[in-house]
Amino acid sequence: MAGKRKIPGRIIDEICEHLANGVPLRAICRMEGMPSHTAVYKLAEADEVIRLRIADARARGFEALAEQCIDIADDERHDWLLSKKGVISNEVAVGRAKLRVWTRLQLLAKWDPKRYGEKVVQEHTGPGGGPVHQVTMTPDEFRAIAKGIADEV
């Protein structure tokens, strides 16, 4: 990294701490005294140890974001309002909480699909739910069947 400004180790430690708490890198880099996100990316590309530290901190940050979803969903403090008609649901606060949870879940599914994405399973069954029977045929047999179907049409 000759000629380039080196990011001090304490700054890398602070970046990793914020990442592990679920703070996005660009938000961290907007904090006073922090390097630009491009400088962090360039350093991570050039230094395998820092790249692995950042990746590990991000993985822990994903867990922090998942925990935030639970905290947001469980927080009922703003869900109810006292009105002249009595206690009513605060639909704005509930909707905002849903959006906050949904946004985090969508990001987690994109950033770490193995852990937070939806699992898609395809199962093939035959008639009546039984097993699928695979038919093997030669190309000539296939052409003959295809020709027979075409002749019927």
Side-chain angles (χ1 to χ4, degrees):
M1 289 188 51
K4 293 186 180 182
R5 189 173 147 238
K6 187 168 166 60
I7 299 173
R10 65 177 175 74
I11 297 291
I12 297 300
D13 293 343
E14 194 172 339
I15 289 169
C16 288
E17 183 178 337
H18 286 300
L19 286 170
N21 287 317
V23 180
L25 181 62
R26 286 179 186 248
I28 296 167
C29 293
R30 285 192 296 267
M31 296 174 182
E32 190 172 328
M34 290 294 172
S36 70
H37 68 278
T38 54
V40 175
Y41 285 130
K42 285 179 183 177
L43 179 62
E45 286 175 9
D47 188 322
E48 179 72 8
V49 172
I50 291 175
R51 186 186 67 75
L52 291 173
R53 286 187 63 203
I54 289 173
D56 179 62
R58 276 200 165 126
R60 288 184 285 131
F62 297 158
E63 290 179 23
L65 286 174
E67 290 170 8
Q68 286 177 20
C69 291
I70 295 168
D71 292 341
I72 294 166
D74 288 346
D75 184 0
E76 298 178 0
R77 288 177 293 170
H78 304 291
D79 291 358
W80 309 102
L81 295 173
L82 183 58
S83 74
K84 292 178 184 177
K85 296 179 183 180
V87 178
I88 60 170
S89 175
N90 183 350
E91 297 301 324
V92 173
V94 171
R96 181 75 178 140
K98 284 181 182 178
L99 176 63
R100 292 177 67 208
V101 169
W102 180 86
T103 301
R104 284 163 175 78
L105 291 175
Q106 294 297 306
L107 289 171
L108 286 171
K110 295 289 183 195
W111 289 339
D112 194 350
K114 283 185 178 180
R115 289 175 57 197
Y116 299 105
E118 291 189 27
K119 185 177 179 182
V120 177
V121 177
Q122 289 183 330
E123 292 185 14
H124 300 281
T125 58
V132 175
H133 297 287
Q134 187 173 356
V135 177
T136 306
M137 63 178 80
T138 66
D140 289 336
E141 292 170 327
F142 180 78
R143 280 190 216 87
I145 292 171
K147 183 177 181 330
I149 292 170
D151 290 344
E152 290 179 13
V153 176

